[in-house]
Amino acid sequence: MTVETLSTQTAREVTAAKNTNDTDNILREFAKCAVTLREILHQDRSLHTTELLFIDNHFQVLQMAYLRWKRKHIASPTD
């Protein structure tokens, strides 16, 4: 019975790690797209400085959310 429990825990941990890696890969792809979007928006000469700062603030919020997610899920995937 102990062997089955250890085996089940290991399978759960592997599944959790795989899901975390899949999500991390998706978030990385999203980040690449977001950076590209930011660069395109910064090249738009019709945007004012205030609008560009507003856009940058949104990107900083996205980055902070990702870093918090990563710290929570990557640092301790078994919690």
Side-chain angles (χ1 to χ4, degrees):
M1 181 127 180
T2 304
V3 174
E4 290 175 7
T5 304
L6 290 175
S7 176
T8 304
Q9 285 177 332
T10 303
R12 286 183 194 150
E13 291 172 1
V14 169
T15 301
K18 183 182 183 312
N19 290 340
T20 300
N21 287 337
D22 290 345
T23 303
D24 193 43
N25 289 335
I26 291 168
L27 290 173
R28 285 177 201 262
E29 287 300 315
F30 174 76
K32 289 177 189 177
C33 294
V35 168
T36 302
L37 176 62
R38 183 181 65 199
E39 290 171 0
I40 290 169
L41 292 173
H42 274 274
Q43 293 171 2
D44 186 352
R45 301 289 180 215
S46 66
L47 294 175
H48 299 288
T49 304
T50 306
E51 293 167 324
L52 292 173
L53 289 172
F54 189 66
I55 291 167
D56 284 340
N57 286 342
H58 279 78
F59 283 106
Q60 288 177 4
V61 168
L62 288 172
Q63 183 180 22
M64 289 185 313
Y66 170 71
L67 292 173
R68 286 184 180 189
W69 174 87
K70 187 173 179 178
R71 183 174 46 222
K72 182 178 179 182
H73 290 90
I74 302 297
S76 57
T78 58
D79 289 345

